[in-house]
Amino acid sequence: MKTHRKSRRGRILVATALGTTLLAGAVATAMAGEDSPGSGNSSTPALPKAATTGIEPVSGLIVGYKSKAQEAHSEKAVREDIGTAAAKTGEKLSYKRRLGIGAALVSLGGVQPAKDVVKVMNQLQADSDVSYVVPDSQVPSSDDTPRLDAAADNESLPSDGTDYTSKQWNLSDPKVGMDVPDAWRTSTGKGVTVAVLDTGIAKHSDLEANIVPGPDFISDKDHTNDGDGRDSDPSDPGDFAKAGQCPADEDTSPTSSWHGTHIAGIVAASDNGKGTVGVAPDAKLQPIRVLGSCITPISDILDAITWASGGIVPGTPDNTTPAKVINMSLGSQGPCTTPMQSAIDQAVQRGSTIVVAAGNQGNRRGPQDAHNFDFASCNHVITVAATDRKGNRAFYSNFGSVTLAAPGGDTTGNPENGILSTSNTGRTAPGAEDYRFEMGTSQATAHISGLAALVLSVNPELTPAEIAATIQANARPIPGTCEGGCGAGLADAAKTVEAVAKGDSSAATDSPATPPSDSTSDSPSDAPSSPASLPASPSDGTGTGAGTGTGADLSACLHNDCQVEVTAGDTIQLDGADGVDELSIDSVSDNTVAFTGSSGNGSQQSSDSQTAPGQSQINNLVVDIISVDGDRATIRLS
């Protein structure tokens, strides 16, 4: 969520839920930064109808096709499918482009009312080759929290050569900081690239030595403030909104936040003897602009995640320096959606550790647990809550279903209790470089992205799940209080890096270990994370289920297209559309999974086995063995 505005002006871009909560599976995204104060047969199953409740007007849809479908590989087939839907609904539909995750982006011919969006969604969902249909949410890019007082809003420190590191309590305070200086004895993040998906980056002398090329992924030129759509320049022209530029019902800001610049500085500002220093001062920063003024389509963020992790995004040059860590100080209220989980799963399979803000709704009524917020509720991410200068959970921070916490600060009353980092003096367009104290779960998230870089610099072979588990295992208790729960506690950089250097990194097996296949439009993994590593998101009935080895009935794939973790004895209930009503796991050992598919109430059975990684097929059901770890295996069905 573009929710963490720097506090130099006293803003705490809070990970706010500014977005739209669309039907189950819809996506909403906003910034996390802020200024807040205080059937069993072989017939095609009937898909649930979309309801207008909770759906807001949108101009596009994201359509995922099953991997065996012709549309998953042919643009011509997609256009024909869309043409059929247009003829049946009377709507002006058109194929816009293929997303990096393999799904198709469909234009509705302009912003359409909910009833028309629902009509098209229902028509598309009626196709048995369609895996999912999700609105391409147009979500506010700015926070909707009240500003702090004017005096605090004017607080900043000049870039005049002064060394401000003594003000970075978040790094060095022995009680409430992360003990980063001691970690630097072993690692400074050298050799690791961290992608920062945010507002882009303003020129700053503390950052320029560590920057590697990144693009501007904002496709809507009306909300970029730079006059064009996607391009190769991630520079931040400002995320301010002019009068009348944004939808009337969106809360916007007439000034710019320089949010991406502030986050980048926390991650990896260089140790140049002046200004501030980042958690991983020798890591490389890859700014990727996804947040502009007003609104940002979720499709842009999906492509940014794919590109950052080294995936292919049609129409965009390949990333020659893929990021091993992706910082997403982004989010909004609502569940993790199918395409977002798919993008995350694929990025993790490529080896990228994804760090996400828990959100800044902690002091408001309504959902406050992080599992109620996208992207914080997605599987296979590190979700970060924020603590303040006293070591308590920061008043604004979401809580509960988080991995752990890190310093986020609280500028209320005293700006210096915020997180000091790189910024810019410009009220709208870029001005001179400076430094600001900000607060938010966005800032906390940047600390963990930096820590992940320190860890990877010591041991580049660690998987995203192992990195998460190690950071958790070496966290210390929250110094103060954390009503609602702060996961494993407060991150400790020195202990974590020392453990990795000694070879004591924690093992974790919940994250995909093999590269993604070429068919990337299937439904994503919903397998819950193991308690020792990443936090699990609540089941939505579309694919979650952990094997138990006791003959458990995993009623997780009733519409197929899911990913689950299994052990011997488990059964998976399917819809029969691919000729299989039930898949039984016979054994898991020696990197091989043996299984039996049954149809017709068990009257017809077919058995097979497959080593990992690899694919097998029973009737039309594709069984993809992703990984095997001892007596447990992660499999994808499509």
Side-chain angles (χ1 to χ4, degrees):
M1 327 173 274
K2 170 187 165 183
T3 52
H4 292 230
R5 288 201 170 178
K6 312 164 201 135
S7 265
R8 160 187 122 189
R9 299 179 184 154
R11 301 178 176 172
I12 146 189
L13 298 187
V14 203
T16 64
L18 307 173
T20 16
T21 299
L22 306 168
L23 114 127
V27 191
T29 308
M31 295 195 284
E34 347 355 320
D35 309 39
S36 131
S39 108
N41 57 34
S42 60
S43 62
T44 300
L47 294 173
K49 295 291 186 178
T52 55
T53 302
I55 296 183
E56 293 192 5
V58 293
S59 62
L61 297 175
I62 298 172
V63 184
Y65 292 93
K66 296 181 180 181
S67 59
K68 62 180 179 291
Q70 188 176 6
E71 292 91 341
H73 314 283
S74 167
E75 291 191 7
K76 178 181 178 182
V78 174
R79 293 180 188 278
E80 292 175 350
D81 189 40
I82 294 171
T84 298
K88 291 184 177 182
T89 60
E91 299 297 325
K92 296 180 180 179
L93 311 180
S94 62
Y95 172 66
K96 197 168 184 179
R97 66 175 182 270
R98 182 81 69 176
L99 301 182
I101 60 173
L105 182 61
V106 179
S107 172
L108 297 174
V111 177
Q112 301 298 323
K115 64 181 182 64
D116 292 335
V117 175
V118 169
K119 179 171 62 175
V120 174
M121 291 179 68
N122 285 335
Q123 182 59 50
L124 289 167
Q125 286 177 328
D127 185 344
S128 61
D129 285 335
V130 171
S131 179
Y132 60 83
V133 182
V134 173
D136 186 19
S137 310
Q138 297 289 329
V139 184
S141 293
S142 62
D143 65 281
D144 63 354
T145 59
R147 302 291 187 244
L148 299 180
D149 59 86
D153 196 49
N154 292 326
E155 183 70 22
S156 68
L157 297 176
S159 179
D160 58 4
T162 301
D163 184 345
Y164 295 123
T165 54
S166 63
K167 297 180 181 295
Q168 293 186 273
W169 59 270
N170 47 302
L171 303 185
S172 57
D173 189 290
K175 181 180 179 181
V176 298
M178 277 180 46
D179 197 11
V180 174
D182 282 343
W184 290 337
R185 302 173 189 273
T186 304
S187 174
T188 55
K190 188 174 182 178
V192 181
T193 296
V194 181
V196 178
L197 276 59
D198 216 292
T199 64
I201 194 167
K203 186 176 180 179
H204 201 291
S205 60
D206 281 9
L207 304 177
E208 57 187 8
N210 289 336
I211 299 296
V212 296
D216 176 350
F217 262 106
I218 302 176
S219 59
D220 188 346
K221 64 181 181 181
D222 292 333
H223 303 298
T224 62
N225 287 344
D226 64 1
D228 58 20
R230 293 184 174 185
D231 56 44
S232 60
D233 184 4
S235 298
D236 187 353
D239 57 352
F240 67 98
K242 301 175 183 178
Q245 182 177 2
C246 302
D249 59 345
E250 303 298 350
D251 182 38
T252 57
S253 174
T255 58
S256 294
S257 68
W258 314 115
H259 188 259
T261 304
H262 199 263
I263 299 307
I266 296 171
V267 175
S270 60
D271 186 6
N272 56 11
K274 70 177 186 68
T276 60
V277 61
V279 174
D282 287 329
K284 293 300 181 182
L285 288 164
Q286 186 168 69
I288 300 179
R289 190 169 180 245
V290 296
L291 302 173
S293 63
C294 310
I295 54 180
T296 296
I298 198 65
S299 53
D300 286 345
I301 296 175
L302 295 174
D303 277 352
I305 294 171
T306 299
W307 188 89
S309 61
I312 296 174
V313 176
T316 303
D318 292 349
N319 185 355
T320 58
T321 54
K324 297 297 291 183
V325 181
I326 299 176
N327 187 95
M328 293 176 62
S329 293
L330 312 168
S332 65
Q333 190 169 323
C336 182
T337 62
T338 299
M340 181 53 63
Q341 187 64 64
S342 183
I344 288 172
D345 284 352
Q346 292 173 28
V348 171
Q349 288 169 343
R350 295 184 191 102
S352 295
T353 294
I354 302 179
V355 190
V356 181
N360 304 316
Q361 292 279 346
N363 64 320
R364 302 184 183 188
R365 295 180 179 179
Q368 298 175 340
D369 190 296
H371 76 70
N372 292 302
F373 294 81
D374 189 32
F375 316 117
S377 63
C378 294
N379 292 326
H380 306 140
V381 302
I382 298 176
T383 302
V384 188
T387 54
D388 60 22
R389 184 71 183 267
K390 295 181 180 180
N392 301 313
R393 174 177 66 82
F395 72 90
Y396 52 79
S397 179
N398 287 348
F399 45 76
S401 301
V402 301
T403 309
L404 78 172
D410 180 357
T411 60
T412 307
N414 182 358
E416 296 200 10
N417 286 337
I419 306 301
L420 183 64
S421 185
T422 49
S423 191
N424 194 275
T425 63
R427 296 292 292 180
T428 54
E433 65 177 57
D434 69 349
Y435 305 87
R436 298 181 184 181
F437 291 97
E438 299 289 350
M439 62 180 176
T441 54
S442 286
Q443 280 66 25
T445 300
H447 285 78
I448 302 304
S449 292
L451 177 52
L454 296 181
V455 168
L456 279 165
S457 184
V458 176
N459 185 354
E461 301 303 315
L462 292 178
T463 67
E466 289 170 335
I467 292 168
T470 301
I471 293 175
Q472 281 186 299
N474 290 284
R476 60 181 188 270
I478 295 293
T481 62
C482 182
E483 182 180 356
C486 284
L490 180 66
D492 189 308
K495 286 180 59 180
T496 302
V497 170
E498 181 181 7
V500 175
K502 290 181 177 181
D504 295 335
S505 54
S506 299
T509 63
D510 68 315
S511 116
T514 59
S517 67
D518 293 333
S519 299
T520 56
S521 58
D522 292 44
S523 295
S525 162
D526 288 305
S529 308
S530 96
S533 56
L534 305 175
S537 5
S539 169
D540 60 4
T542 59
T544 58
T548 65
T550 58
D553 178 0
L554 305 180
S555 301
C557 304
L558 295 181
H559 298 300
N560 296 354
D561 296 295
C562 71
Q563 180 171 302
V564 292
E565 185 178 82
V566 298
T567 61
D570 288 342
T571 61
I572 302 172
Q573 300 300 315
L574 302 171
D575 58 23
D578 291 317
V580 179
D581 295 301
E582 180 179 279
L583 186 72
S584 300
I585 307 304
D586 302 324
S587 65
V588 179
S589 63
D590 298 327
N591 204 44
T592 301
V593 180
F595 45 88
T596 298
S598 302
S599 61
N601 296 319
S603 61
Q604 299 176 356
Q605 295 187 339
S606 297
S607 298
D608 202 353
S609 63
Q610 179 64 54
T611 57
Q615 289 186 345
S616 184
Q617 185 167 332
I618 295 181
N619 292 334
N620 291 322
L621 177 69
V622 176
V623 182
D624 186 1
I625 310 302
I626 296 176
S627 63
V628 176
D629 184 16
D631 64 351
R632 305 180 73 84
T634 299
I635 68 175
R636 184 190 295 275
L637 306 178
S638 59

